[in-house]
Amino acid sequence: MKLSHKFLAAFCSSLALTGCMKVLDKTDLSSTSGALIFNDSTLTQMNLDYIYDQNLPAGIPTLGPGTPSVTSLTDESYGESKLLEGTLLVNEVGDFGTKLDAANNYGKIRVINMFLSDVNGGSLPRLTKNKLRAQAQFFRAWRYFDLVRLYGGVPMVLTPLAAVGVEARDQAFLPRNTTSESFALIVKDLDSTIASVPGKWASTNDWGRITKGSAAAFKGRVLLTAASPQFNPTDDVTKWQASYDANKQAYDLLTANGYGLNSSFDQLWFQEVNNPEAVLITGYNTSSADQARKNNGYDNATRPSYTGTSGGSNQPSWEMVKAFPMLDGKKPGESTKYTYTDQSFYKNRDPRFDKTIAYNGATWPMNGNNTYKLWTYFAGGKTVEPKATNTGFYARKAVNPAPAISEVQYSGTDWIEIRFAEVLLNLAESAVGVNKLDEAYTQLKAVRKRAGIEAGTDNMYGLKANMTRAELFSAILYERQIEFAFEGKRFWDLRRWKLIEKTLNGTKRTGVTINLKTTGVPADFATTRDNVSLDKAYTDYFTVTFKQLDTKYSINWKPEYYFFAIPQQAIDNNPKLIQNTTWGGAFDPLN
């Protein structure tokens, strides 16, 4: 592998590493050989860090280039989409590699395969090579899982293919591996990672590197997907057993290395090094001194636009708002202790509600103001916000309250892709799959206890006792909906459980408009409202009305979207690719 002069120079100058000078002094930097680079630990590490940078998730995902955030494809938020309209065409989920592009999945896999090959040929000690290769193999597994959950089995390219020439082109015409083969190779890569990386890195400078626990947790996610109805329509218990074993391994490795639930559901996002809940993270920073600034765009994009420089992109639907349990853990309308009404939707809710949903009148510390109150109501038909939220709500999860407006765009908050809470709920779901129902209850109660839900006299945290297997599966999916709201998990959960039609079809997602009444409101309400109790304001001064957010169509997700079509451009480029049976081809993605 060769690195360009610019690439090496950028790394050397930004990291100020003397190792660059040691290796490249008096060397022609325009044509640096792979052997020279991969005989040097510093330059090899730079190449691995590039793989980290290119492959770590950057917040809520999409389905590939040109597709919307997955949050907008569920009842969590809203957004117009051909997937929900039911008009998706064969080429429109196209992150398959339809052209030479370093940014698509196969482009990134090529870089990883070249790294794995070149490191193996270098002269570094075998244990060092194994540790470096193991981290790259994690990301190859990451990329392939992204493809398999979209399309089913794909060509599993495990070595760098030659780039030019007719013979090289013909060798690159590879058929699709079966879906089961694809999952097996993903797991093989992750097993190699688990075997060769530490349970915890010794230096805080290595915070965010792949550990045994993060690789095992991702393996658990992969095999849970393989056991779910999308890939396991016959409920094959051996797939559930594989999922259970993987998630139990993840739990054991993580707890042995000091991981666990953070004591705070909302503040866990702002503790970085040694955060016990942060299993797999994308690190961000605001430093411009000794490294390139790398900003987390989620924060600035999520908060109200007038409190940052963009904003308002993750707006909760009314369906998401109403989904949260009451303080006793029962669903709205099912609790006998806490009465629910739409007019006072904010009262006596699961504590995660106030830490996830920002609503009219909520105290929402931000921009350094710990007593800031958010007002989203309309007065005389006009919004009191500089720019109104379309749904009536904002997401507040992982939005840092400290930075001033001018600094919001430079957020350094780490994105936590896998939290320990997910490991617990993955283990719970897998346990239900193998009929270990008591174990599922244990993990569910741990998550609810941390949330602050009342234990109740039965110490069940609002959970129904003696649930059936089917009821527990539903309870876990419900818990995931609440716990992981606006973390990009809801779409994949509904899809792997093939519940999108049941949950969304025939519906239009809903928002609220809160209006200030025209009579009985103090003339100085606009200046005194922060001092009025929320209950009085909602009882005496506000009306809550509902509006449809989806205005063009009722949602019409189609069954064939559970495995997307291989883009026709990819098939035209590779005649050995076969289209999925659900899109008119002969490839069965369930094999």
Side-chain angles (χ1 to χ4, degrees):
M1 180 180 180
K2 296 182 179 180
L3 295 181
S4 71
H5 171 78
K6 289 182 179 179
F7 182 75
L8 286 172
F11 266 109
C12 292
S13 62
S14 65
L15 299 178
L17 292 168
T18 56
C20 291
M21 294 303 298
K22 176 183 71 177
V23 175
L24 299 181
D25 187 32
K26 299 180 181 179
T27 299
D28 178 7
L29 296 181
S30 66
S31 183
T32 307
S33 71
L36 181 60
I37 292 169
F38 292 97
N39 290 341
D40 181 82
S41 60
T42 299
L43 296 183
T44 303
Q45 188 65 60
M46 288 179 185
N47 277 264
L48 180 60
D49 289 349
Y50 176 77
I51 289 172
Y52 269 88
D53 184 67
Q54 293 300 296
N55 289 279
L56 281 170
I60 298 173
T62 69
L63 301 181
T67 59
S69 160
V70 295
T71 294
S72 68
L73 300 177
T74 71
D75 49 0
E76 199 167 74
S77 185
Y78 86 105
E80 305 288 352
S81 169
K82 290 184 177 181
L83 282 85
L84 298 185
E85 188 177 14
T87 59
L88 188 72
L89 300 178
V90 69
N91 289 323
E92 291 179 331
V93 179
D95 197 19
F96 192 87
T98 57
K99 60 181 178 179
L100 293 175
D101 187 346
N104 68 29
N105 271 313
Y106 275 109
K108 293 176 181 179
I109 289 167
R110 176 174 173 78
V111 171
I112 294 167
N113 282 337
M114 292 172 71
F115 176 88
L116 290 169
S117 175
D118 288 341
V119 168
N120 213 39
S123 61
L124 296 175
R126 174 56 54 186
L127 288 177
T128 301
K129 286 183 181 180
N130 288 347
K131 189 180 292 186
L132 293 165
R133 283 173 51 85
Q135 293 169 75
Q137 284 177 290
F138 174 91
F139 289 110
R140 184 167 67 181
W142 184 270
R143 295 265 66 93
Y144 275 124
F145 178 63
D146 196 36
L147 287 166
V148 171
R149 67 179 175 175
L150 290 176
Y151 304 107
V154 297
M156 301 293 286
V157 184
L158 304 179
T159 57
L161 299 175
V164 295
V166 174
E167 184 177 350
R169 182 201 64 188
D170 291 343
Q171 290 175 349
F173 290 158
L174 297 173
R176 298 173 69 177
N177 288 76
T178 66
T179 301
S180 58
E181 289 170 345
S182 299
F183 273 120
L185 288 167
I186 290 168
V187 168
K188 184 178 180 180
D189 266 349
L190 292 173
D191 283 338
S192 294
T193 303
I194 294 167
S196 297
V197 297
K200 200 167 190 177
W201 293 83
S203 172
T204 57
N205 291 330
D206 289 318
W207 171 249
R209 293 202 181 279
I210 303 304
T211 66
K212 290 183 184 296
S214 55
F218 180 51
K219 177 183 170 183
R221 181 192 283 184
V222 169
L223 289 176
L224 179 63
T225 300
S228 300
Q230 179 191 5
F231 289 96
N232 184 22
T234 62
D235 198 24
D236 181 351
V237 73
T238 62
K239 293 186 177 182
W240 284 112
Q241 186 65 53
S243 175
Y244 175 81
D245 292 343
N247 283 292
K248 185 65 166 61
Q249 179 189 32
Y251 176 88
D252 290 343
L253 284 169
L254 288 164
T255 53
N257 285 281
Y259 289 85
L261 291 175
N262 194 298
S263 61
S264 173
F265 172 77
D266 57 332
Q267 294 304 303
L268 69 88
W269 293 94
F270 310 120
Q271 179 184 345
E272 297 191 352
V273 174
N274 295 323
N275 181 350
E277 186 142 353
V279 174
L280 177 64
I281 69 151
T282 301
Y284 291 96
N285 67 77
T286 57
S287 170
S288 57
D290 62 346
Q291 55 187 317
R293 175 181 275 168
K294 184 178 180 182
N295 303 316
N296 175 354
Y298 167 88
D299 187 310
N300 191 32
T302 299
R303 63 177 58 224
S305 58
Y306 49 89
T307 67
T309 59
S310 58
S313 62
N314 292 306
Q315 297 180 9
S317 68
W318 174 249
E319 286 74 19
M320 183 71 245
V321 169
K322 195 167 180 178
F324 279 81
M326 306 304 288
L327 185 56
D328 61 357
K330 303 293 186 182
K331 291 183 179 180
E334 295 180 4
S335 172
T336 57
K337 183 175 181 181
Y338 297 108
T339 301
Y340 172 84
T341 68
D342 288 345
Q343 182 71 24
S344 58
F345 60 84
Y346 58 88
K347 291 191 66 174
N348 299 317
R349 305 299 292 274
D350 175 337
R352 290 173 292 189
F353 178 89
D354 276 318
K355 297 172 181 178
T356 305
I357 307 295
Y359 54 90
N360 179 61
T363 300
W364 186 5
M366 67 169 68
N367 304 125
N369 181 355
N370 289 330
T371 61
Y372 180 80
K373 280 201 172 184
L374 176 72
W375 296 104
T376 64
Y377 66 88
F378 283 69
K382 295 181 180 180
T383 176
V384 298
E385 294 183 277
K387 180 181 178 181
T389 162
N390 290 320
T391 69
F393 305 99
Y394 294 101
R396 60 185 291 179
K397 177 182 281 186
V399 173
N400 193 331
I405 291 178
S406 60
E407 292 297 315
V408 167
Q409 62 183 307
Y410 305 120
S411 172
T413 302
D414 290 348
W415 176 259
I416 308 176
E417 174 60 28
I418 300 180
R419 297 199 274 118
F420 190 77
E422 181 186 344
V423 176
L424 294 184
L425 292 179
N426 288 353
L427 179 57
E429 188 175 333
S430 302
V432 175
V434 294
N435 283 302
K436 294 178 180 286
L437 305 189
D438 287 345
E439 188 168 354
Y441 270 106
T442 298
Q443 311 310 336
L444 272 171
K445 287 194 283 188
V447 171
R448 288 191 153 210
K449 180 178 180 180
R450 191 275 298 275
I453 289 175
E454 295 172 344
T457 57
D458 58 359
N459 205 40
M460 292 293 288
Y461 295 90
L463 297 169
K464 177 184 172 183
N466 301 313
M467 281 189 273
T468 65
R469 184 171 183 264
E471 288 174 325
L472 263 172
F473 274 138
S474 295
I476 291 165
L477 283 177
Y478 175 57
E479 198 67 29
R480 294 175 69 94
Q481 179 186 10
I482 304 305
E483 177 73 20
F484 304 130
F486 296 96
E487 296 181 42
K489 307 294 190 290
R490 175 71 169 164
F491 171 79
W492 302 110
D493 283 345
L494 291 177
R495 189 166 178 264
R496 67 185 174 84
W497 270 92
K498 300 184 76 172
L499 289 173
I500 297 181
E501 300 102 313
K502 181 179 178 181
T503 304
L504 297 177
N505 274 13
T507 69
K508 294 185 176 183
R509 289 162 294 185
T510 312
V512 304
T513 301
I514 297 175
N515 286 295
L516 191 67
K517 293 179 179 179
T518 56
T519 59
V521 180
D524 62 350
F525 181 76
T527 57
T528 62
R529 61 193 180 186
D530 285 2
N531 299 318
V532 177
S533 75
L534 209 54
D535 287 351
K536 182 173 179 59
Y538 272 89
T539 300
D540 296 343
Y541 305 146
F542 293 133
T543 61
V544 178
T545 59
F546 301 94
K547 62 181 180 180
Q548 291 181 340
L549 299 171
D550 297 299
T551 58
K552 295 181 180 179
Y553 52 79
S554 295
I555 294 173
N556 182 32
W557 172 277
K558 293 186 176 179
E560 56 263 36
Y561 299 170
Y562 288 113
F563 294 102
F564 293 118
I566 302 295
Q568 187 60 45
Q569 300 102 308
I571 294 174
D572 292 342
N573 291 340
N574 177 2
K576 290 189 177 181
L577 290 178
I578 299 174
Q579 185 59 272
N580 284 329
T581 53
T582 49
W583 291 82
F587 184 91
D588 184 356
L590 293 177
N591 285 339

